[in-house]
Amino acid sequence: MKPKMDCAQTNLKLTSGDLLARNVVWNLLGACAPLAVAVPAVPLLIHRMGTDRFGVLTLAWSVIGYFGLFDFGFGRALTKLVAEKLGAERNAEVAPLFWTSLLLMLLFGVLGAMVMASLSPWLVYSALRIPRAIQQETLRAFYLLAASLPILIASAALRGFLEAHQHFRASTAVRVPLGIFTFAGPLAVLPFSTSVLPVVAVLALARLAATVALAVLCLRAHASLSDGIAIRASLIPELASFGGWMTVSNVVSPMMVSLDRFLIGALVSITAVAYYAAPAEAVTKLLFFSSALAGVVFPALSSAIAQDKARAGVIFIRAVKYTFLAMFPVVLLTVAFAREGLTLWVGATFSGHSTLILRWLAVGVFFSSLAQIPFSLIQAMGRPDFTARLHLLEVPAYAALLWFLVRGKGIEGAAIAWTVRMAVDAAILFGFSWRWLETGGREVRRFITPLASAIGLFILSALPMDGLTKKIYVASTLCAFACIAWFGLLDPAERTYARTLYPRTLYLRMKVGAS
């Protein structure tokens, strides 16, 4: 058994600021590179496929997300438990945990494929208002999606294993090509066919290639995996104790994410789904920073909590702060210039239907971004039961609100309901996290004041203004925000570190230029 000091040093290495910062950059690259392709690709897909087929494609993406629940929480459990064991220098226990989890998740993927295949006819012919002309190709595409579910679930486990080791550079090397191909692949198919079926086929093949690449990287990341497949039934209870509650969240959360689009399709029309989905697909991409940060923070918190609660608190507070600093300017610009941005991106027709949708959803994304940090903390502390119970309580309230608002206000009502849910969810998660961390009232007030100010500024930016007035308002707000962030939100150590970034960047530029 290694000395306690060795464990502490290993834990600090896995949670060091420099390592986490580099990994956030890699995670951001994995999110931003596909986004650069998605922005020009979506209007082309709408134009060439038509709004009906594009609506079906967005529903297919939603179905993939929902049926990912068939990992039964074992993927998240694998990441957490591997990170804990690495932090405690219990490396010999990692390989059996990996192989046992992967086998179970593959079996769950097969189960999910069977369920999805059996439900596909009902979805196509009864539940959704799919135009008769494209029902057959939609059904075949859904069958193909079902067949690809085991691959999807296995790839999530492999990526989580790499991230538990803080090997975000390796996972990003696979994630970037896959993300780009998610949008570039359908565009490559369209000159030959506008059917949804070949589009889904190329996406499934891309995921298969990515899964093989991730498996090779996992074998390189942990040498003992090559010693042979080790399955231990005794590990199943440890995985299930965490994964069981995660299964509840995995069932309920994706359902709530997709419920708005399915209700719009059932109560309004499939064309309305496209008007809602286009801004929704765009604005939810703004989650890339918080998702990148939370993805890095979760295994770091898992490693830190077992050894040093104070270190976990530092990671949490800084993660929340950096999320706020990154998201406020982006959301402000999105709310202020929603109409102009949509007109340039997808045309005046979509802009007329979708401007209010984009503004509401942008504010919801702001709350959702912040909520990802306490969500990661609660999961890392081994309390998936809390988030599961929260989701169960949210379902009936959100469904009732969504139904009422969609019937009364159409797609705008769906956006309002989603944003309200995000705000309530964030408030509850932060309350639980602050209580566990025993954070003082001063720290809470230090966060609430800028949050309330940000909401007020979002509302002002949505008011009718002429072009010049709006630009002056946004520019002055961002300048004031930069000053307040620098002197009021960053502590002296963070300001000192930030000052070192410019010389480093300048040196790197000079070095590249000289070469």
Side-chain angles (χ1 to χ4, degrees):
M1 182 176 179
K2 291 192 180 273
K4 186 176 181 180
M5 181 60 69
D6 288 349
C7 294
Q9 290 173 347
T10 300
N11 189 278
L12 183 61
K13 180 181 179 181
L14 289 172
T15 64
S16 69
D18 285 343
L19 175 63
L20 298 184
R22 287 195 303 270
N23 286 339
V24 170
V25 172
W26 283 114
N27 241 6
L28 283 173
L29 177 61
C32 291
L35 182 60
V37 179
V39 171
V42 167
L44 290 173
L45 288 171
I46 294 172
H47 175 69
R48 296 183 183 179
M49 296 182 70
T51 54
D52 288 340
R53 282 191 171 91
F54 179 75
V56 170
L57 181 59
T58 62
L59 290 177
W61 289 333
S62 298
V63 167
I64 288 176
Y66 183 72
F67 277 88
L69 65 92
F70 277 93
D71 77 340
F72 289 101
F74 279 48
R76 190 79 162 177
L78 175 63
T79 302
K80 177 184 183 297
L81 294 175
V82 169
E84 285 181 349
K85 295 183 187 304
L86 292 174
E89 288 284 289
R90 296 159 60 185
N91 291 6
E93 301 176 30
V94 170
L97 185 61
F98 169 81
W99 289 115
T100 304
S101 300
L102 185 60
L103 175 62
L104 289 171
M105 291 174 71
L106 284 170
L107 294 175
F108 295 151
V110 173
L111 175 62
M114 296 170 62
V115 172
M116 182 176 171
S118 64
L119 290 177
S120 292
W122 173 75
L123 288 172
V124 172
Y125 294 121
S126 301
L128 305 174
R129 295 186 178 182
I130 306 294
R132 185 178 299 274
I134 61 173
Q135 284 181 349
Q136 281 298 315
E137 67 184 75
T138 301
L139 179 61
R140 292 169 182 168
F142 276 30
Y143 283 146
L144 185 56
L145 286 173
S148 68
L149 278 179
I151 299 171
L152 176 70
I153 293 175
S155 66
L158 297 170
R159 180 181 167 193
F161 183 79
L162 289 173
E163 293 177 354
H165 287 75
Q166 292 292 337
H167 289 177
F168 284 83
R169 180 178 180 178
S171 65
T172 299
V174 177
R175 184 182 173 191
V176 168
L178 177 62
I180 290 174
F181 195 79
T182 298
F183 298 96
L187 287 177
V189 171
L190 291 182
F192 307 98
S193 174
T194 59
S195 172
V196 178
L197 180 59
V199 169
V200 172
V202 297
L203 295 179
L205 289 174
R207 288 195 173 275
L208 176 60
T211 301
V212 173
L214 287 171
V216 172
L217 291 171
C218 286
L219 292 172
R220 293 180 179 178
H222 205 90
S224 63
L225 297 182
S226 302
D227 295 339
I229 298 176
I231 308 296
R232 292 185 184 174
S234 60
L235 293 173
I236 296 178
E238 185 178 14
L239 289 163
S241 64
F242 187 93
W245 283 111
M246 277 301 303
T247 300
V248 177
S249 292
N250 286 348
V251 171
V252 176
S253 184
M255 181 177 67
M256 289 192 288
V257 169
S258 305
L259 184 60
D260 49 6
R261 302 181 193 191
F262 282 92
L263 271 181
I264 291 170
L267 298 178
V268 187
S269 68
I270 197 69
T271 301
V273 173
Y275 286 133
Y276 182 87
E281 287 294 325
V283 78
T284 52
K285 294 297 186 292
L286 297 180
L287 290 167
F288 68 90
F289 178 81
S290 58
S291 297
L293 183 58
V296 173
V297 163
F298 172 67
L301 287 171
S302 298
S303 297
I305 284 173
Q307 298 290 330
D308 187 357
K309 183 177 179 179
R311 177 62 182 165
V314 171
I315 295 172
F316 173 81
I317 294 297
R318 289 186 172 177
V320 172
K321 185 190 304 182
Y322 300 152
T323 301
F324 179 86
L325 294 177
M327 292 304 298
F328 173 79
V330 177
V331 173
L332 179 71
L333 289 168
T334 302
V335 173
F337 298 106
R339 183 178 300 277
E340 294 85 349
L342 283 171
T343 301
L344 288 174
W345 183 40
V346 289
T349 300
F350 259 77
S351 176
H353 288 89
S354 304
T355 294
L356 289 176
I357 310 306
L358 181 57
R359 285 173 172 162
W360 276 108
L361 293 179
V363 176
V365 163
F366 181 71
F367 287 118
S368 181
S369 297
L370 295 171
Q372 289 192 50
I373 308 306
F375 183 87
S376 296
L377 175 66
I378 293 168
Q379 298 290 312
M381 70 174 71
R383 289 298 309 274
D385 61 304
F386 178 83
T387 52
R389 291 188 176 102
L390 175 59
H391 287 146
L392 287 174
L393 291 173
E394 286 179 347
V395 169
Y398 176 58
L401 180 64
L402 187 61
W403 180 277
F404 175 77
L405 290 177
V406 169
R407 285 177 64 89
K409 300 180 71 67
I411 58 176
E412 182 184 353
I416 294 172
W418 189 81
T419 299
V420 169
R421 184 176 76 85
M422 291 298 102
V424 172
D425 192 71
I428 295 172
L429 292 175
F430 271 107
F432 185 87
S433 298
W434 277 324
R435 182 179 179 182
W436 184 82
L437 289 170
E438 300 174 355
T439 304
R442 178 178 176 274
E443 193 67 49
V444 174
R445 289 192 297 272
R446 187 183 177 190
F447 174 74
I448 290 177
T449 300
L451 177 62
S453 301
I455 300 305
L457 292 170
F458 293 153
I459 294 173
L460 289 176
S461 67
L463 296 177
M465 303 179 195
D466 61 75
L468 179 60
T469 302
K470 183 183 293 187
K471 292 175 183 177
I472 293 173
Y473 166 76
V474 171
S476 59
T477 300
L478 292 178
C479 288
F481 171 76
C483 294
I484 294 171
W486 182 260
F487 294 105
L489 296 180
L490 297 179
D491 59 41
E494 290 168 326
R495 289 197 293 270
T496 299
Y497 180 76
R499 290 190 188 99
T500 67
L501 295 179
Y502 178 74
R504 289 182 187 179
T505 304
L506 180 61
Y507 169 75
L508 289 173
R509 289 178 180 174
M510 293 174 63
K511 186 176 181 181
V512 171
S515 62

